[in-house]
Each structure stands twice: as structure tokens, then as C-alpha cells.
Amino acid sequence: MKIDIIGAGSLGLLLAGKLIHTGNEVRLWCRSVEQCRELSNSGLTVNYEEDQAEIKISGDQFISAPVRDFPATYLREPSEWIFITLKQNILHHILPELLLPLRQRQIHIICFQNGIGHMEMLQELLPLADLYAAVTTEAAKRKTLTTVFHAGKGETWLGNWPVGKHMLGKHPNDQDEVKVISLLEALLLAGFTALLSKEVDTMIYRKLLINAVINPLTAIWRIPNGGLLVSKQRMQLMRDLYTEAISVYEACGIAHDVNAWDNILEVCESTAGNTSSMLADVIASRATEIRWINGSLVDMAERSGMAVPLHRWICRLIEGMSVEER
Ligand code: PAF
């Protein structure tokens, strides 16, 4: 299967490495020319903690190129799927211009972001596209420009966007269905637990809640996820953020699990040693995704006429950590 992956961060490298290893034709689109060069010279490596052998892909087994060349290449030689593994801030910054030449094409896209807002943006930008949102719990950490550490196996849920599109009168197009099933098979073969969901929006909001509680606190305190559970004060602040977020969900009519709090604690436990993506951004002095995580809760609250002082405050705290925050 021919797949374009836009974004060569931790998740992009992980997906690329495992999909190339199982025989797919992958073009990996990077933001820096330096990374493209490194990938074609040294190839791509996926490694694991202990018993599992690392995956080594040589540079001639795939194409790595600067992302600005993507639209022209795609128009000349389309792929079956485009995966977008860019962070929210970068996605909103570069995709409108990058994907404009594909506006009239019936392309197939899967988006793997934390937070919300990107699907609506893509829907408007690409009215003819077959869009899927992905929610993944795969834990990956980029160690170098060409090496990713697969820290923990998770699940990846894919769902057509907007949710219920096919239920609103349109019959699912058989070809699209065959296409998504072959993609699921390719992901399964590559070792991912990939599943289809009819409620991917609920899953997105479930993950948003987890990220809105774990990510900013781990980033401010510079602790791994498990470090949140080791003191009463930390857990109280988590609980306060959680309670405020739940009141937003309730005001906006967004479904949430009755055991959502326990889920957050379980995520902290099961990823205890992991550096959250926001902490990784802060450590690397990169802009964070706070605007699309806690910031989106603030926007939702505002639209419902509610005050969310904690989420508003935590956004400002994180934004103030980097001078490049946009
Ligand atoms: O953003 C992240 O790092 C992850 O979504 C999560 C679940 C917080 C685990 O680190």
C-alpha cells in the first residue's frame, strides 16, 4: 500500500518504520531538510525496551523529503492514504497552504492529533476528502532524527469524519469501505492494534480530558506521568482540573464516562515512566499543544457562558514557558 506520512516526529517515525517493515511503500514528509538527509543516509530505526528485536530500515527502502514538496509529488503520483502526524500548532500553521492544491481532489486522510479543532479545519479546507480521525494510545518517543523508541503498545481507533456522515442519508461508498478495511489490515500486519469506531468523537473527547489533566501538570512540574500520583497536592490539582473540565462537558452536552477520573489515574499508572508529549515539547523548547487541549476547553466554556479559571490559568502558565508560543 502506498502511504504518505506528513510529520516525522515520534508517531510519524513509528508508523513509517513498522509499515515499511511489512512491505508498504511509504513517503515520509519532514519539516527539516536535515532530517530528510539523515533519514536517507542512516535509514530509520524503531527500538524497544528489552526482548523485542529492533527494526532497521535502510534509507533506500523509503522516500524522505521536505514537506513543501508533498503537494506537487502527490498530484503527480497520488498515494492511497495520507497520514497527518503533525502536532496541532504546526498543522494549523502549515496545512492550509500545503493542502490547498488538493482541495478539489478526493483524497483519503487520517489525522492522529491530541486535542480538538483540526478535523473541522480540514473538513473546510478539503470538502471532497474522505477524512478519518485517529485516536491512539501508542507510546513513542523520538530519540534522534532517525530513531524512535516504542515505549508502550496501545490501541489505535479510526473513525470517519464527520461522525455519522454515512448515517445521515448517504450510503457508504463500497470502495471507501474496502479502502479503509485494507488500511486496517495493513496496520494490523504492521503490529498495531487498529480498530474502527463509530464514536470516534467520544474517543477524542475522552482523550482530550486525559490530556487536559495530565499534560500541563507534568510539563509544569517536569515529572513523568506517574509522578502525578505521588502526592496529595498534585492529585488535588489534577482533580480540580478534571472537575472543571467535566462541568464544561456537561454544559456542552458531551458524553463522558462515569469512571473518567479512574481512567485518568489508570493512564498515569500505565504510563508512569513516560514523559508526556507536552513535557517533551517544553524540554525541547518547542511550542506546545496547550491551545488545542486546555485552550479548547476554555473556548467551549466561553461559548456556554461558563467561567473556567483553572484551565484559563494553566494555559497562560504553559504559554508563558515559551516565547515562541502562538
Ligand atoms: O500526550 C501524551 O503524552 C499522552 O496522550 C498521554 C496519554 C498523556 C500519555 O503520556
Side-chain angles (χ1 to χ4, degrees), residues 114 207 210-211 214-215 225 267 271 274-277:
N114 278 337
K207 184 142 189 224
I210 295 172
N211 289 133
I214 297 180
N215 294 28
N225 297 347
V267 172
T271 62
N274 292 10
T275 301
S276 75
S277 51

Side-chain angles (χ1 to χ4, degrees), residues 10-42:
S10 47
L11 190 60
L13 287 180
L14 178 72
L15 287 160
K18 289 169 83 85
L19 284 163
I20 299 165
H21 188 59
T22 44
N24 296 284
E25 207 181 310
V26 172
R27 292 186 294 215
L28 185 54
W29 301 96
C30 316
R31 284 193 311 129
S32 85
V33 175
E34 189 199 348
Q35 189 179 15
C36 297
R37 213 182 11 246
E38 289 270 314
L39 283 164
S40 26
N41 290 342
S42 326

Side-chain angles (χ1 to χ4, degrees), residues 100-299:
L100 200 60
L102 310 186
R103 188 169 164 82
Q104 298 309 328
R105 301 289 286 243
Q106 225 195 342
I107 55 182
H108 300 265
I109 300 197
I110 303 197
C111 299
F112 287 85
Q113 283 64 36
N114 278 337
I116 59 172
H118 55 296
M119 296 308 297
E120 290 76 4
M121 187 271 258
L122 283 168
Q123 208 183 327
E124 211 180 302
L125 185 68
L126 303 165
L128 305 183
D130 189 27
L131 286 181
Y132 281 79
V135 176
T136 185
T137 52
E138 293 292 347
K141 192 173 177 184
R142 194 173 84 175
K143 285 164 74 182
T144 67
L145 292 178
T146 61
T147 305
V148 62
F149 171 55
H150 194 183
K153 196 173 156 30
E155 285 179 348
T156 300
W157 290 85
L158 304 180
N160 208 198
W161 194 273
V163 171
K165 178 168 133 185
H166 296 319
M167 285 174 237
L168 297 171
K170 274 194 195 173
H171 284 295
N173 170 340
D174 280 349
Q175 270 184 358
D176 286 351
E177 215 162 272
V178 169
K179 215 173 166 95
V180 77
I181 288 168
S182 11
L183 176 69
L184 282 179
E185 283 168 1
L187 287 166
L188 289 170
L189 193 69
F192 295 103
T193 304
L195 306 121
L196 263 190
S197 168
K198 287 199 169 115
E199 295 177 347
V200 77
D201 50 346
T202 307
M203 307 190 81
I204 289 176
Y205 281 112
R206 190 179 298 151
K207 184 142 189 224
L208 178 69
L209 190 61
I210 295 172
N211 289 133
V213 174
I214 297 180
N215 294 28
L217 293 179
T218 51
I220 289 164
W221 289 322
R222 296 195 177 227
I223 51 173
N225 297 347
L228 289 172
L229 306 177
V230 304
S231 93
K232 269 195 194 149
Q233 289 85 343
R234 290 178 184 176
M235 287 197 46
Q236 186 56 54
L237 214 45
M238 284 172 77
R239 183 81 201 192
D240 295 342
L241 280 175
Y242 166 81
T243 308
E244 210 179 71
I246 288 292
S247 62
V248 177
Y249 277 26
E250 282 172 358
C252 298
I254 293 167
H256 59 88
D257 302 331
V258 277
N259 54 353
W261 172 246
D262 293 332
N263 282 346
I264 295 176
L265 300 184
E266 271 163 35
V267 172
C268 289
E269 263 166 42
S270 61
T271 62
N274 292 10
T275 301
S276 75
S277 51
M278 199 172 285
L279 174 56
D281 286 338
V282 165
I283 292 171
S285 305
R286 289 188 296 253
T288 70
E289 295 184 295
I290 191 80
R291 171 77 199 77
W292 292 273
I293 298 177
N294 302 74
S296 60
L297 287 169
V298 173
D299 292 345

